[in-house]
Amino acid sequence: MNDDDSVNMRTRHKRATREAISSAALRLAVEQGPEGLALVRVRDIADAAGVSPRTYNNYFSSREEAICAVESDRARRLGRALLARPADEPLPQAIAAAVTGHYGDAEPDRAGLRMIMSTPALEGEALKAFTTAEEPLAAAIAERAGTAKDDLFPQVMAAAIAGAVRVAARHWINSDDTVPFATVLKAALRPVLQAVPPSDG
């Protein structure tokens, strides 16, 4: 095994451990319900994830951060999803396909998303989770559009897209119908993407 393989293995192990802890934290939070959130202890989360409390503390500084990490980690990967789209795809279509594919291909856990977005104690961390996408997404939009990442256009567009995802999620968790999340997300993105230039560059 060369050094690169060793680094990649460690990176994958760290990502898997972080995901296991976050998934366990969210599952326990859903089981307790919003009023019982304080009953979710670090030791319980660590036990459910198969790690020690010390390992838990190496990854997360609070229970709220651990519970919301599933969404914040997903948000961080959105920029990469956009850059993975075909280079000749017009920017509006590339953004729509990247966002709906990233968030909508696998239907979100409605109970978990409702816990994250509807619990006052998680409000700040939940907002942070959804806005985490903005910086890497702005960089990806700038690269696709041929502009600097600190220009207003990619920055504002990234913030608008992150906001559309958050609004779509809130609408979806509060709806009693069976409309797929991807359908709600496409509708939420439509007014945002009307402001996107029709082609790259």
Side-chain angles (χ1 to χ4, degrees):
M1 180 183 297
N2 59 39
D3 289 344
D4 288 343
D5 290 338
S6 179
V7 169
N8 288 337
M9 184 175 293
R10 287 197 299 271
T11 300
R12 287 194 296 270
H13 175 71
K14 287 181 178 180
R15 184 183 300 124
T17 301
R18 177 180 170 86
E19 289 175 354
I21 295 171
S22 180
S23 295
L26 181 56
R27 184 174 69 253
L28 292 174
V30 170
E31 289 173 0
Q32 291 291 346
E35 301 305 319
L37 187 61
L39 300 176
V40 180
R41 301 176 303 172
V42 168
R43 180 170 295 280
D44 296 331
I45 297 171
D47 287 346
V51 301
S52 68
R54 180 176 180 179
T55 297
Y56 169 95
N57 288 325
N58 287 337
Y59 285 86
F60 298 108
S61 60
S62 71
R63 174 186 55 215
E64 291 77 15
E65 181 187 2
I67 291 169
C68 295
V70 170
E71 290 303 324
S72 63
D73 289 352
R74 179 182 294 181
R76 285 190 186 94
R77 296 191 292 267
L78 183 54
R80 293 202 298 271
L82 176 56
L83 292 178
R85 299 298 306 172
D88 60 348
E89 188 173 31
L91 187 56
Q93 287 91 322
I95 292 173
V99 176
T100 56
H102 188 65
Y103 283 103
D105 277 357
E107 194 82 338
D109 173 7
R110 193 187 293 260
L113 197 55
R114 184 179 289 116
M115 166 62 71
I116 288 173
M117 298 191 70
S118 304
T119 304
L122 296 175
E123 187 174 2
E125 209 52 60
L127 180 60
K128 188 189 304 182
F130 281 97
T131 57
T132 298
E134 291 184 26
E135 185 175 348
L137 183 55
I141 292 171
E143 183 172 332
R144 291 289 306 237
T147 65
K149 68 178 181 180
D150 57 352
D151 282 353
L152 280 176
F153 171 72
Q155 295 285 333
V156 172
M157 186 56 56
I161 292 167
V165 173
R166 187 173 69 253
V167 170
R170 188 172 299 283
H171 180 87
W172 185 69
I173 63 174
N174 290 324
S175 175
D176 292 329
D177 58 36
T178 57
V179 175
F181 178 61
T183 301
V184 178
L185 186 54
K186 287 177 184 177
L189 285 171
R190 198 169 295 124
V192 174
L193 295 181
Q194 289 175 353
V196 182
S199 61
D200 296 350

